Amino acid sequence: LQTATKSASATLALTDSAKVVETSVASANNLTVPPNSSVPFPIGTQILVIQVGTGQTTLVAGSGVTINSKSGNLKISGQWSAVTLIKRATDTWVAIGDLSA
């Protein structure tokens, strides 16, 4: 898989589809999942996100987006932890992986 590196808070782009997104940030940062109206990822899209930096990455739902996860956790647990985002419906995603509150 190809890699897309984010060196600051960022919003997922269509070009991130089927890539490994690495968040390489030294401070806390956000990775926003945009609404389908602005970035129309196909249903079934999977994006692997790895926190390679020391700054904790938080998954943020864009306007009208729902991100479902175990216990509602949306923060990647730590450096070298990972999560997979899967698009299940128009503006509904599931996050599966090493997440914390």
Side-chain angles (χ1 to χ4, degrees):
L1 289 174
Q2 292 181 330
T3 301
T5 301
K6 309 296 183 185
S7 56
S9 288
T11 298
L12 290 172
L14 206 52
T15 54
D16 295 323
S17 182
K19 289 186 180 174
V20 175
V21 174
E22 294 183 347
T23 58
S24 182
V25 188
S27 58
N29 62 93
N30 295 328
L31 184 63
T32 301
V33 178
N36 190 73
S37 60
S38 62
V39 183
F41 288 107
I43 292 171
T45 295
Q46 295 187 30
I47 300 170
L48 176 63
V49 181
I50 303 172
Q51 180 185 310
V52 300
T54 55
Q56 188 170 44
T57 300
T58 300
L59 302 175
V60 176
S63 178
V65 174
T66 299
I67 303 173
N68 295 301
S69 64
K70 182 179 179 184
S71 301
N73 294 339
L74 293 176
K75 293 183 179 196
I76 298 178
S77 293
Q79 190 174 24
W80 302 113
S81 292
V83 62
T84 300
L85 290 164
I86 304 168
K87 186 169 183 179
R88 299 193 65 223
T90 302
D91 280 315
T92 304
W93 294 73
V94 62
I96 301 168
D98 193 1
L99 294 165
S100 60

